[in-house]
Every structure is written in structure tokens, then in C-alpha cells.
Amino acid sequence: MQETMLLGLEGIKKTILHGGTGDIPKLRTGAKVTFHFRTQLCDDDRTVIDDSKVVGTPMEVVIGNMFKLDIWETLLSSMRTGEVAEFWCDIIHTGVYPLVAKSMRRIAEGKDPVDWQIHTCGMANMFAYHTLGYDDLDELMKEPRPLYFVLELIRVQQPSEYNRETWAMSDEERLKAVPILHGQGNKVVQTRTVPRGYAKEKAWEVPWLKLEKMANTLTLNYCQCLMRMEEYYEIIEHTSDIINQHPGTAKAFFLRGKAHMEVWNEAEARQDFSRVLDLDPGMKKAVKKELALLNVRMEEKNQEDRNKYKGMF
């Protein structure tokens, strides 16, 4: 057993429990790190808070992908493959752990890690609900403590060594993937066939649904970028594709309405904004703002037309 300090970082102590092999891997941006972790309190019993081995699935982190507990990237960068090490981390590094653990536990339970959230930051969510849903995490949030992280580094895969899903891509890579994913999603919906590598016993189960949802989400994000680029007709085309498949997608109607407004399609814009209100009353404020802008712009255009044609007849 060898104890060392991670140089240059305050509030961290490392104890190697089992030595690894080879050189310390370089954790480049985009590299995927697979590891087991155990989180323990700094009490006499070393009370276990979370343990990935109990769940039965190791943790995966993509370097540079804004994982909320970024201290883990630092800890892992000091380890060799196969190494098991214990890290004592002071409060300055552990304050956000309860929020991260909440999401990890929900994933382990087969639940959406974010569907519990209001559209605010994690800290605001806690105050909105007064609880994270787990007593031990609530206690840890109220009274932050130093923690022990026992990490076992299983493998490091560089970006070229694995097929990256969209969550592991950079913003630029996601934008490039949009047309491909959107086309795959359309094909899946139309044919009810899952692309090779996604096959299951029933084609309507999770894989094609996830692919379709992913493609549509990326496309809508892409349309927001196109809005800044003033590519309004392309937005209308993409959002119309989604609406044809999923007529209940309020965001698609909203973006298409904005695009119609920009190209002076008043009737179509009003129709889309009206549909948004039917589908999602919570967007009333946003729709009201766009309709007010539409009214102003149409009045300006009508006045311009009146001035242009004044005296012609």
C-alpha cells in the first residue's frame, strides 16, 4: 500500500490499494474512461453511499464532456489501468456529489436522470422540491462532508477506439450528425425497421424509439442554430418533417411559426402559434411575445406597402 499526495491540488489524498499496469493513460478530450467507484463517508464505519459494483455496472465518463463531478476526471488521470485507489476529498471537491448521485441512482433504477427537474439549475431544483428523493443525499446536501472515493480504472478508450454516441460528441460533431440521424430516424419511422446494430425482438421497442427521439431532438437544436443563420426555409422543411411524424411536438410548431413569421407567411405563423398554445399552455408567454412581434412587423409591412403604392392608382 502506497500513500501519495496529488501535487498541486488542495484537499486530496491518494492511497493506492492495488497497483495497475503500464503507463498512466493520457485522458484526451473525447476519451471514454470506464471504471468502478465506491463512495464512502469519512466516519468510523466508512459508511457506503454508492457502489457501482453493487449495481453491477461500471461508470463511464467521456473526458471534456462537462461531467458535473469533474474532480473524478482529475483523480482518474493519476491512475494506471487495473489500479484501485482510494481518494480522500475535502468538501471543496464534494459539494455537488449529492446532485450527481441523484442522477446516477435514477439511471441505475432505469429512470430518466433529468425528468424530475424543473427547467432550472440543480441547486434551484433542490429548493423547489425540498428534497432530492433520497434521505442520505438530502443529509449530505444539508451538511456537506469530505468523502472517500474508491476508484478502479478498467480501461481508457481514445476517441478513435469506440463508436461515440451523440452525448459524447462536441457541439460541432453533433451538428454534423444531425442530417444522418434525422434520415435514420425518418427511415425507422416509415419502415419500422431498426438499423443494423439496433436490432431487437420487437422493432417498436426502445432502440428505434430512442434513435427517433434523438434525431428529432438534434434536428430541433439544429433548427435553433439555423434561426441565427437566417435559414428560415430550411427550418420550415425540417420542422414540417417532425410535425408530420409527431403532430404533438410543440417546439417544432413554435420554431416553424417563427420561421414563417420571418418570411412574411402571416397566416401560417398564426396557425402554428395557435397550435403551440393547444399543445403546451406553458408556452403562452413565449407565444404572446412572438405574436406581438408579428403584429408590429405586419403593421410596418402594410404601412410600407401603402407608401410604396400610394399615388399609383
Side-chain angles (χ1 to χ4, degrees):
M1 184 179 295
Q2 178 184 0
E3 184 168 328
T4 62
M5 289 285 292
L6 284 185
L7 299 179
L9 282 177
E10 180 184 357
I12 297 177
K13 293 181 181 180
K14 175 182 178 181
T15 303
I16 298 177
L17 305 180
H18 177 76
T21 58
D23 297 330
I24 296 178
K26 293 183 179 179
L27 302 188
R28 300 185 180 92
T29 298
K32 181 165 69 172
V33 185
T34 303
F35 61 100
H36 275 295
F37 75 93
R38 183 169 69 249
T39 305
Q40 297 173 294
L41 295 178
C42 297
D43 57 13
D44 293 338
D45 298 325
R46 292 287 188 93
T47 303
V48 176
I49 302 175
D50 295 295
D51 190 338
S52 64
K53 288 191 175 181
V54 172
V55 175
T57 304
M59 184 73 181
E60 291 183 347
V61 169
V62 175
I63 301 301
N65 202 44
M66 296 186 293
F67 181 64
K68 290 183 179 179
L69 194 63
D70 55 4
I71 189 60
W72 275 5
E73 292 188 9
T74 302
L75 305 183
L76 291 164
S77 68
S78 74
M79 301 178 66
R80 290 175 168 81
T81 302
E83 179 180 324
V84 180
E86 176 186 87
F87 298 88
W88 174 87
C89 295
D90 204 354
I91 295 173
I92 58 175
H93 302 296
T94 63
V96 299
Y97 182 80
L99 296 172
V100 177
K102 163 87 175 187
S103 295
M104 293 191 296
R105 290 184 185 185
R106 289 184 64 84
I107 291 172
E109 294 166 1
K111 300 176 181 177
D112 189 321
V114 297
D115 68 1
W116 61 284
Q117 296 179 352
I118 299 174
H119 296 293
T120 54
C121 70
M123 190 66 70
N125 286 323
M126 184 192 70
F127 288 115
Y129 285 94
H130 306 293
T131 179
L132 291 173
Y134 301 90
D135 291 341
D136 56 345
L137 297 183
D138 285 342
E139 187 64 29
L140 196 57
M141 180 61 79
K142 293 174 185 176
E143 186 180 347
R145 307 180 192 178
L147 296 173
Y148 283 109
F149 297 121
V150 179
L151 306 181
E152 177 184 350
L153 181 57
I154 299 173
R155 65 178 173 272
V156 174
Q157 296 168 282
Q158 299 303 334
S160 61
E161 296 175 343
Y162 70 99
N163 293 323
R164 283 185 289 171
E165 299 178 35
T166 54
W167 61 270
M169 297 179 182
S170 67
D171 289 343
E172 182 178 352
E173 290 169 329
R174 288 191 185 103
L175 284 177
K176 290 180 179 178
V178 165
I180 298 173
L181 290 170
H182 188 61
Q184 289 177 337
N186 286 344
K187 182 177 179 181
V188 167
V189 174
Q190 293 165 4
T191 65
R192 299 288 175 171
T193 58
V194 183
R196 184 174 297 176
Y198 286 88
K200 292 284 184 180
E201 291 182 3
K202 298 178 181 178
W204 56 86
E205 288 185 346
V206 172
W208 76 266
L209 288 170
K210 287 180 66 177
L211 178 60
E212 181 194 3
K213 181 179 179 181
M214 179 173 62
N216 288 343
T217 299
L218 281 170
T219 300
L220 291 173
N221 290 340
Y222 180 54
C223 286
Q224 290 179 315
C225 296
L226 291 175
M227 190 71 69
R228 292 194 292 270
M229 298 167 62
E230 300 183 358
E231 298 289 348
Y232 304 122
Y233 289 105
E234 188 174 349
I235 293 170
I236 293 171
E237 179 183 353
H238 286 309
T239 52
S240 294
D241 284 345
I242 293 176
I243 289 169
N244 288 337
Q245 297 166 14
H246 300 281
T249 309
K251 186 175 180 180
F253 278 105
F254 184 75
L255 289 174
R256 192 174 71 173
K258 291 187 66 172
H260 276 308
M261 181 173 68
E262 295 292 343
V263 295
W264 306 106
N265 295 338
E266 180 183 10
E268 290 85 347
R270 292 189 184 279
Q271 184 175 5
D272 280 346
F273 288 139
S274 176
R275 187 68 180 128
V276 172
L277 292 177
D278 292 337
L279 293 170
D280 187 355
M283 296 184 68
K284 181 178 180 179
K285 184 175 180 180
V287 170
K288 185 177 179 180
K289 178 181 177 181
E290 296 299 330
L291 287 174
L293 179 60
L294 176 60
N295 290 335
V296 171
R297 295 188 63 180
M298 294 310 301
E299 179 57 34
E300 290 176 349
K301 185 177 185 299
N302 292 336
Q303 183 60 49
E304 182 181 324
D305 290 343
R306 286 193 292 269
N307 292 337
K308 183 185 299 183
Y309 297 114
K310 185 178 181 180
M312 290 184 64
F313 301 100

